[in-house]
């Protein structure tokens, strides 16, 4: 849950999560756990997941409703720009299409470095703004305990 979502729940505002990714099952389980929210003293419906097919306009329709006062968006530049241009009734915060670099200059554990890079690349690419896109290694390589 992003910091803005935690703030929204803590201040008794509702959250509509419109972004559904196949790989996000743990996040979906958390959002849909109304019992956990109720146990914490919140309305169990304070967070609503709106699952929709790619290409339909349900997210755009909801984003333009007058009841929507804040939009916190992480995703593509095209969709972020659309929200900034059209959702004028809301305060819109966007984080659009970041490009993150990894510079490898040394490591005491080459196998661990490779595992962590592979994990980050395969799990988070296209899902998180912090996913690495470019990896730089000096042309001559790096010194490691393995050689």
């Amino acid at each position: 849950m992003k910091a803005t979502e935690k703030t929204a729940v803590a201040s008794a505002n509702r959250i509509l999560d419109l972004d559904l990714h196949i790989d996000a099952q743990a996040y979906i389980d958390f959002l849909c756990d109304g019992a956990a929210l109720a146990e914490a003293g919140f309305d169990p419906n304070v967070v609503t997941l709106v699952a929709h097919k790619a290409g339909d306009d349900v997210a755009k329709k909801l984003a333009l409703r007058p009841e929507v006062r804040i939009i916190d968006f992480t995703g593509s530049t095209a969709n972020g720009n659309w929200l900034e241009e059209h959702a004028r009734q809301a305060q819109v915060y966007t984080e659009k299409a970041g490009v993150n670099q990894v510079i490898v200059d040394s490591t005491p554990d080459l196998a661990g470095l490779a595992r962590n890079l592979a994990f980050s690349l395969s799990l988070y690419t296209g899902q998180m703004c912090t996913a690495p896109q470019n990896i730089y290694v000096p042309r001559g390589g790096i010194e490691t305990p393995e050689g």
Side-chain angles (χ1 to χ4, degrees):
M1 184 176 272
K2 294 187 282 187
T4 49
E5 292 172 336
K6 291 176 185 174
T7 302
V9 170
S11 59
N13 290 295
R14 295 193 180 276
I15 298 171
L16 291 176
D17 195 314
L18 300 170
D19 193 13
L20 179 60
H21 296 287
I22 300 301
D23 296 336
Q25 190 61 48
Y27 183 62
I28 292 167
D29 290 345
F30 170 78
L31 287 178
C32 296
D33 190 356
L37 289 168
E39 184 178 310
F42 297 104
D43 177 338
N45 300 308
V46 73
V47 178
T48 303
L49 177 66
V50 180
H52 57 94
K53 294 181 181 180
D56 73 14
D57 63 352
V58 71
K60 287 181 177 181
K61 286 179 180 176
L62 288 169
L64 297 178
R65 292 187 56 91
E67 301 91 345
V68 174
R69 306 302 299 154
I70 298 174
I71 296 173
D72 182 14
F73 173 81
T74 300
S76 72
T77 300
N79 288 335
N81 289 343
W82 187 92
L83 285 166
E84 290 170 346
E85 183 178 334
H86 293 92
R88 297 287 184 186
Q89 84 292 353
Q91 180 68 46
V92 178
Y93 301 94
T94 60
E95 186 172 335
K96 301 177 279 191
V99 177
N100 299 294
Q101 320 300 319
V102 174
I103 299 172
V104 180
D105 67 353
S106 64
T107 181
D109 179 9
L110 184 60
L113 178 128
R115 267 192 314 276
N116 283 326
L117 281 175
F119 178 78
S120 295
L121 290 166
S122 63
L123 180 63
Y124 297 130
T125 297
Q127 306 294 315
M128 292 183 64
C129 58
T130 57
Q133 284 86 27
N134 300 318
I135 302 170
Y136 298 101
V137 178
R139 186 180 310 272
I142 62 171
E143 291 293 322
T144 69
E146 291 88 357

